[in-house]
Amino acid sequence: MTIPAILLLMHQGNSFTEEAAAIASRKGLTLVALTSRPERESVFEANQAFLADWIMTGYPELTMADADGAVEAFSDRGFKIVAALATFEGYRVLMASLNQALDAPDSSPSSLMQCLNKFEMRHALADRGLSEVGCHRIEPGKRPPLDPRKRWFLKPVRGASSFASFVLESRDDLADLEQIQDQMRADHRMRAIFMGQFGFLAEEYIDGPEFSFEIIVVDGVHPVCIHEKARVEEHRRTTLEGMSISPPVSVGKDCLLEGAGFVAACLNALDLRSGAFHVEAKYWLSRGRWEIIEINPRMGGSLINASVTTVTGVSNLELWIDSLLARTEEERGRLRQRLDDLSQVKAIQSGGSLRATVFLSKYGEKGRTVKSIRFSPGERMPQVLKVHVSPGTALENSDRAICLLDALWQVEPGDMIREVEALDRLAREHFEVDYQ
C-alpha cells in the first residue's frame, strides 16, 4: 500500500514545514521532504517531527538532478507523490517541473522563468502595452544610456530580500557592481535564489505608493489580499520594507480595484496559469497608472502569510496547496467559489466588513555580530512575534535585508492611520539590538 504525499522542496532544512504538514494532514495526505544540506543541523532537526520521511543532499542548494530522482526514491519507500511544493523562490522552477511530470496543476517552467527574470518580464509587459517603464540591462564595462533627467533604480535581474536594490544616485555607483556580484555568489544562505543569474538592470524610478497583491490563480486570477508598504527606507545599497498594512489607505477604492485588475491582466499576459503569486506594484502618481515592480511565483515573505490568515481566515499556503490538489472541474469550481467568498478585494468592492493588520520588520547591520536583542512592547504585545536571531548570531556581510524581528497586530480598520503611527513609535522605542 502506498501513502499519498506532498513533496516539500526545502532550502537548508527550513521551509514552512510545520504549517505545510498540518495542511497536508487535513487533506488526508502526508508530507515528505527533499532538502539541501542545512547550515545548522538543529534547524532541520526541529522540522523532522513534521515529516513522514526525508532525503537530504550533500550540498547547500538543490538541483534539478536532485529533484528528478526524488519522486522515484520516495516511491521506493512507499509514498505516492501527488504534488510538489516549494515556498523558497529559488526552487520554484524545480517545483513546476516536478508538477508537470506529476500532472499537478501549476504554471509552466518557461513562464515562471520569464517572470523571475526582471529584465525579461519588464520587456514582455512593455511589448503587450502593460508597462511604460524605461529599462536597461547593465552590461559589464559599458555605461548604459540612462537619461540624466530621470531617476533610475538599480536591481539584480534575479533577486530577493531587496538584495542590492536601490536608487542610483550617481553613475559611479555602477563601479561597485562587481563587488556586489561577489557578495551574491558568496551569500551561502541566499545564493540559490539567484538561479545562476548575477546580472543587473536599471529602470525608471516609479514615484508613488507601493503595494503587494497576494494572488491565487485557478482558472483565472483571484486576488486574495492587498498590503500597502507603509514604511519604506531607501539605503545606500538596499531598500528596507519596515511596515506593511492591510487593507491599504493611501489610495481610494476605485484605484485599488483598478490595481487588482491591472495585476490580473499582467499575469494573464505572461501566461501564468496556476499557483500562488506575490505581486509587487506601484501606483505611478505622476502618470496616473499602475506598474508592476516584480512578480514572485510564491507566497509573500515576512509575515504576509500570517497577515492573510488574519484578514481572510485562511492561510495563503493552504490555498496554494488546494490549487495543486484541485484536479477535477468540480474541485476547481469549489476552490474558485471559496476564493471569491474569502477575497478581501471582493469585500472592498462590495463594501463588506473587513479585518485589518499592521506588521513591521526590524533589520540588522550587515557583517555585525548580535550581542543582545530585545523587544518589550508592554501591554501591546503583537499577535505574532518572530525573532530570527539570538545573541552571538553573526549577520551576513551582504547588501540585502537581514531581518531580525517581525511582529504583527490585528487592528480596527477605521483606526489604521492612527495605528500606523502608534505602532511605528512603539517599535522605535521598545526594540533594542546591540552588537559586539
Side-chain angles (χ1 to χ4, degrees):
M1 178 180 175
T2 57
I3 302 170
I6 293 173
L7 172 59
L8 180 63
L9 303 178
M10 297 177 71
H11 184 55
Q12 299 181 3
N14 195 32
S15 292
F16 285 89
T17 316
E18 183 176 2
E19 296 94 328
I23 294 165
S25 179
R26 290 198 295 271
K27 318 245 176 238
L29 301 168
T30 192
L31 187 71
V32 298
L34 172 68
T35 181
S36 55
R37 188 187 69 232
E39 180 184 19
R40 290 176 293 156
E41 290 291 338
S42 59
V43 172
F44 184 54
E45 288 171 358
N47 285 317
Q48 288 176 9
F50 308 108
L51 298 171
D53 201 356
W54 63 85
I55 295 170
M56 182 187 296
T57 73
Y59 300 95
E61 301 170 19
L62 293 180
T63 66
M64 188 64 77
D66 298 323
D68 285 342
V71 172
E72 184 177 353
F74 280 112
S75 177
D76 291 341
R77 299 182 182 194
F79 297 95
K80 177 179 173 56
I81 305 301
V82 298
L85 174 69
T87 62
F88 179 68
E89 188 175 296
Y91 300 157
R92 186 62 182 87
V93 176
L94 301 185
M95 169 187 165
S97 297
L98 286 174
N99 283 330
Q100 200 171 56
L102 293 166
D103 201 27
D106 206 345
S107 292
S108 70
S110 59
S111 295
L112 293 173
M113 285 295 291
Q114 182 182 55
C115 86
L116 284 166
N117 184 304
K118 295 178 175 62
F119 183 81
E120 292 183 6
M121 179 207 71
R122 177 68 65 202
H123 282 274
L125 292 176
D127 290 344
R128 293 161 176 80
L130 291 168
S131 180
E132 295 180 359
V133 177
C135 180
H136 300 277
R137 191 186 295 274
I138 307 299
E139 301 289 350
K142 297 181 181 179
R143 296 180 70 85
L146 305 182
D147 186 340
R149 296 169 297 179
K150 298 178 180 180
R151 295 185 79 196
W152 295 90
F153 195 84
L154 191 75
K155 60 186 178 183
V157 168
R158 273 290 308 127
S161 299
S162 298
F163 193 105
S165 300
F166 56 93
V167 174
L168 195 61
E169 299 293 352
S170 167
R171 297 288 186 94
D172 293 339
D173 290 340
L174 298 176
D176 297 339
L177 289 190
E178 186 174 339
Q179 182 266 334
I180 292 173
Q181 288 172 326
D182 288 341
Q183 282 188 27
M184 296 163 77
R185 293 184 176 94
D187 193 324
H188 59 281
R189 196 168 296 174
M190 295 296 294
R191 183 177 56 209
I193 216 158
F194 300 115
M195 301 169 69
Q197 302 177 60
F198 302 102
F200 277 80
L201 63 91
E203 60 184 21
E204 282 183 85
Y205 181 78
I206 304 166
D207 185 23
E210 186 169 350
F211 307 83
S212 66
F213 293 76
E214 306 310 312
I215 305 288
I216 299 293
V217 180
V218 181
D219 300 331
V221 177
H222 299 267
V224 174
C225 191
I226 309 175
H227 291 81
E228 179 177 352
K229 300 180 183 183
R231 292 287 186 272
V232 177
E233 303 171 15
E234 294 180 350
H235 290 259
R236 184 170 180 266
R237 286 291 179 268
T238 190
T239 302
L240 302 180
E241 298 170 6
M243 178 184 286
S244 291
I245 62 174
S246 186
V249 296
S250 70
V251 298
K253 167 185 169 181
D254 290 344
C255 184
L256 206 57
L257 295 175
E258 179 190 337
F262 174 77
V263 167
C266 292
L267 292 176
N268 286 329
L270 297 176
D271 199 34
L272 297 166
R273 298 300 180 187
S274 188
F277 294 88
H278 170 73
V279 182
E280 299 185 0
K282 274 189 168 186
Y283 185 69
W284 203 344
L285 291 173
S286 62
R287 300 196 187 183
R289 60 169 286 123
W290 285 89
E291 285 283 359
I292 295 292
I293 300 298
E294 59 187 44
I295 297 175
N296 304 288
R298 54 164 171 79
M299 304 181 302
S302 184
L303 292 184
I304 290 285
N305 194 49
S307 180
V308 171
T309 303
T310 303
V311 168
T312 70
V314 183
S315 79
N316 232 22
L317 182 59
E318 178 166 353
L319 296 172
W320 190 8
I321 290 174
D322 281 342
S323 76
L324 292 168
L325 302 178
R327 308 294 175 92
T328 68
E329 178 52 41
E330 182 181 0
E331 291 169 338
R332 296 173 77 79
R334 286 199 300 266
L335 179 54
R336 292 194 302 270
Q337 185 60 57
R338 186 184 188 200
L339 290 166
D340 282 345
D341 290 344
L342 60 82
S343 170
Q344 181 197 53
V345 178
K346 290 285 186 181
I348 291 171
Q349 187 175 34
S350 65
S353 61
L354 297 170
R355 282 177 279 184
T357 60
V358 173
F359 72 84
L360 57 84
S361 302
K362 290 294 182 180
Y363 300 94
E365 299 177 19
K366 70 173 187 176
R368 303 292 298 275
T369 298
V370 175
K371 181 179 180 181
S372 64
I373 183 168
R374 186 170 70 93
F375 183 49
S376 52
E379 295 181 358
R380 291 223 65 180
M381 280 297 293
Q383 278 85 1
V384 180
L385 176 63
K386 294 188 177 183
V387 182
H388 304 293
V389 300
S390 56
T393 300
L395 306 183
E396 294 284 348
N397 186 25
S398 184
D399 285 311
R400 62 172 167 86
I402 302 173
C403 191
L404 305 182
L405 172 147
D406 291 308
L408 177 144
W409 291 262
Q410 184 172 353
V411 301
E412 290 297 322
D415 293 339
M416 181 65 84
I417 294 175
R418 183 182 62 82
E419 290 283 28
V420 165
E421 298 299 328
L423 292 171
D424 188 35
R425 183 171 58 254
L426 180 81
R428 289 198 310 269
E429 293 175 353
H430 297 281
F431 173 74
E432 298 176 5
V433 59
D434 292 320
Y435 298 100
Q436 295 179 7

